[in-house]
Amino acid sequence: QVQLVESGGGLVQPGGSLRLSCAASGSSFSIGAMGWYRQTPEKQRERVATITSSGSTDYADSVKGRVTISRDNAKNTVYLQMNSLKPEDTAVYLCYVQVVRVRTIDVYWGQGTQVTVSS
């Protein structure tokens, strides 16, 4: 099994910054793509950013220029650096990892971390 532990959410003022982390643990797996989604009660789950195993990144238009995704393969950890935060960035942020085994590719999700942008 694979466990994901997220951290770094919280309350921040508009214009502020936060760094989210998501660490994967378990045994006998390789990680492919990693990324972040966000969810609010009013909206469907929205993809925020993705990073492939080779380091290629992709961002939602709503966060481009304000958000940077990165990964530390030695630590099986993905990060999301968010700057110039806006109230509309308020959401539960969920990380995911693509776990590659000999015969299967599975996606695992973190438990979610709340980000609230408010003055």
Side-chain angles (χ1 to χ4, degrees):
Q1 267 295 356
V2 177
Q3 293 81 41
L4 302 184
V5 177
E6 299 184 31
S7 60
L11 173 64
V12 64
Q13 293 186 342
S17 298
L18 281 176
R19 188 191 194 210
L20 308 183
S21 299
C22 174
S25 63
S27 63
S28 303
F29 62 87
S30 297
I31 293 181
M34 309 174 83
W36 295 86
Y37 277 70
R38 63 187 181 186
Q39 177 81 62
T40 66
E42 299 80 20
K43 297 181 182 179
Q44 290 183 329
R45 186 174 290 189
E46 176 189 23
R47 186 186 67 86
V48 177
T50 303
I51 184 167
T52 68
S53 57
S54 61
S56 297
T57 58
D58 190 50
Y59 299 93
D61 289 341
S62 57
V63 302
K64 275 181 183 175
R66 302 187 296 118
V67 166
T68 303
I69 189 170
S70 61
R71 62 190 285 168
D72 184 334
N73 292 328
K75 296 181 179 179
N76 288 338
T77 299
V78 61
Y79 304 96
L80 191 70
Q81 176 68 45
M82 302 188 293
N83 302 321
S84 303
L85 283 162
K86 305 175 181 179
E88 51 263 43
D89 293 318
T90 296
V92 175
Y93 284 71
L94 303 109
C95 69
Y96 74 90
V97 298
Q98 191 184 62
V99 172
V100 181
R101 298 186 177 92
V102 174
R103 297 181 186 276
T104 62
I105 299 175
D106 299 302
V107 177
Y108 291 83
W109 292 88
Q111 79 282 4
T113 185
Q114 177 70 47
V115 171
T116 302
V117 185
S118 175
S119 54

